[in-house]
Amino acid sequence: MREKHHTAARSVTDGPGPSLAGPDIPTVGRPLTVADVLALPVLSAGQPQVLTGADLLDRPVRWVHMTELTDPASFLKGGELVLTTGMPLPEEPAGVRRYVNELADIGAAALVIELVRRYHRPPDALVQACEARGLPLVTLAKDVNFLEVTQVVHALILGNQAEEMRRTQRIHEAFTALTLRGAVPEEVVRAAAEMSGHTVVLENLAHQALICAPSADTVEAALGDWERRSRATPPAGHAAVSGPDGWLVTSVEYQGESWGRVVMLPAPSGRPTPSVFGPTAVTVLERAAMALTIARVIQPVPWERTAQRNLLRDLVGQRHHSPADAEARVAALGLPAKDCGFVAVLADLPQETDATTCEALLCEELRKQGTQALVGALVGALGPTRLGILLPLRPGRPGPSVVEHLSRTVREVAPGAGVSAGSEAADLFDVARSFREATRVAEATEPGRPLPPGRSYHEPSDIGLRRLLFALREDTRIQDFTERRLSRLLDHDARHGTDLLTTLRHYLDAAGNKTLAARSGSLSRETVYQRLRSIERILDCDLESGEHRTELHVALTALDVLRAG
């Protein structure tokens, strides 16, 4: 062993002064790599130059081994960064190739050779052998204290291991807490994404993405072309990197029955190699899978139904970052997202009916029917007694017929339900508007109001003046307007026992035709003339004025709506 290898080195934890590890080497939470070690001040002082394997510097370094032996591989286990002065290298090229082959076969992380004593330039045979075996070869132009290098690197590795143990304990505690309080799958997946810093997706056996918790990338980037990418990724019983995109995957199963798998995606700029995911990511994914299994056992609601309900609510509330994100989520669930229109439908159920129960019954009924017109309908409970349904309208499928079919199915599942529809939306971004229209239609539809002939649902064209006022009946401005226009006439009828309000109603319904008004009230024309003059006097208005008649007609309709409400 050379004398310099016995030089005492300052500990990275003792005494004042800057750390030999350097302030800008981010190693916490992931394995130390060859690139990290080369960037350490204690090694970068030797002016390291990478001759081969520059694209392999993300290899993890398990340990550092300095050696002057001609057969160092016999003392290695794999993952070591080998340091040498070059003294043990054989003279003949065949010996050099054997030396490199042994290191490569054992899985050494890299070979670092000092060009100070024996060599001042690396032997060609060494460069060629490392290039052929894919072993990173790094040269040092200046003298480096190898003992100091091993001390610093080993301190970092051991520190990382201790921190990893503490981090693993915190992960176990976090997922245990989630499980004990009965966290739903969305919370589990979101927690996994937050802890790992990676996008996490839960998918079912049909390769449909049910829950996506994005991290660095967008939903569109994470879920784009999901089914094809997922099918290209082989299954894994335990957490392992799989597929061409380098996903970290593990199965969610119970007693040998698989329910799906949870997937962790590499960062958008990350290379699809195992080193993208450190031990923390693996631990997070495995604990997430366990928590999802327990959640499924405790709460046996199909994940697909919950995913559709949450997606529907996000579409209604426009809680997506962009139209492309919405399309990606819908398509990843296996539902139509493009090349079709959409129409929003609301089903208001009788008070004694539970929306969640009816949601399950309706989904099952639609599945049984297998009707092409209703394939891809998105169903979810929006309230205690309200269901939301998003219908895709494929080319050649007229919206009214599809909504009519759905409406009749809803009434079969929940007799007495009221069905309201919005107008057609051109794309998913416009779906929220269609739901707002359906909500206004539902609000403007008086209970028990007869349906239009040939239809079993209400739509925006059904909202006339009466239904508009019904929807606005709680607005104090409507109430104030009605009182100001009619209160004196109502008070007069109450005090004198007359019924001038009915005469006014007949007159307005007859569009100012006094003869028709008299016939409707079974009165003589003279009596109607007399009563109309009294109404004009009491209300201080001119019944021959179109504007006054319009105001009184609106006030009378509002009065009927307020009394009905």
Side-chain angles (χ1 to χ4, degrees), residues 204-430:
N204 62 9
L205 297 177
H207 300 275
Q208 295 171 343
L210 306 178
I211 304 171
C212 175
S215 182
D217 47 8
T218 64
V219 173
E220 178 189 8
L223 299 185
D225 198 16
W226 178 264
E227 183 177 348
R228 181 195 61 78
R229 294 161 61 206
S230 176
R231 291 187 182 279
T233 303
H238 61 279
V241 174
S242 179
D245 291 340
W247 291 357
L248 183 66
V249 300
T250 190
S251 177
V252 180
E253 58 184 37
Y254 179 66
Q255 294 184 343
E257 179 186 1
S258 179
W259 290 324
R261 61 181 180 176
V262 60
V263 176
M264 187 176 289
L265 307 184
S269 58
R271 295 173 60 246
T273 63
S275 62
V276 172
F277 303 103
T280 298
V282 174
T283 301
V284 167
L285 197 70
E286 290 177 341
R287 282 311 310 264
M290 187 181 301
L292 288 167
T293 298
I294 296 173
R296 179 66 177 260
V297 172
I298 296 175
Q299 305 166 351
V301 178
W303 288 336
E304 291 79 4
R305 194 185 308 156
T306 303
Q308 288 200 18
R309 182 191 308 154
N310 292 338
L311 174 57
L312 186 71
R313 291 176 177 177
D314 288 346
L315 289 173
V316 172
Q318 287 189 309
R319 290 192 293 267
H320 42 260
H321 292 92
S322 68
D325 279 3
E327 284 187 0
R329 286 186 63 189
V330 172
L333 270 178
L335 301 172
K338 294 181 179 180
D339 302 324
C340 63
F342 301 89
V343 64
V345 179
L346 296 178
D348 288 308
L349 311 172
Q351 289 298 321
E352 65 276 7
T353 307
D354 177 62
T356 304
T357 302
C358 188
E359 170 192 289
L361 294 174
L362 180 59
C363 289
E364 180 63 19
E365 184 62 28
L366 294 178
R367 186 189 65 80
K368 287 180 180 178
Q369 290 182 9
T371 307
Q372 183 65 25
L374 299 180
V375 171
L378 194 60
V379 181
L382 300 179
T385 58
R386 172 170 283 183
L387 281 183
I389 305 107
L390 181 62
L391 286 175
L393 301 177
R394 293 177 176 79
R397 297 280 182 178
S401 65
V402 177
V403 177
E404 180 64 30
H405 189 166
L406 174 69
S407 177
R408 295 185 185 279
T409 304
V410 169
R411 292 175 186 276
E412 291 175 6
V413 172
V419 181
S420 308
S423 60
E424 183 175 341
D427 51 40
L428 287 170
F429 186 73
D430 201 28

Side-chain angles (χ1 to χ4, degrees), residues 430-443:
D430 201 28
V431 160
R433 176 198 54 77
S434 186
F435 270 106
R436 285 195 297 270
E437 289 183 355
T439 302
R440 294 192 189 106
V441 172
E443 291 174 347

Side-chain angles (χ1 to χ4, degrees), residues 1 6 19 52 68 79 114 118 186 210 282 289 304 322 380 387 404-405 446 481 506 521 535 552:
M1 192 71 66
H6 298 283
S19 168
T52 67
E68 302 297 349
E114 184 185 81
R118 179 178 179 184
E186 291 80 5
L210 306 178
V282 174
E304 291 79 4
S322 68
L387 281 183
E404 180 64 30
H405 189 166
E446 301 170 66
F481 172 78
H506 290 157
I535 290 171
L552 291 171

Side-chain angles (χ1 to χ4, degrees), residues 59 73 98-108 129-130 133-135:
R59 285 182 173 181
R98 177 190 54 78
Y99 183 91
V100 172
N101 286 338
E102 289 181 358
L103 292 179
D105 290 342
I106 202 65
C130 289
R133 291 303 308 270
L135 178 67

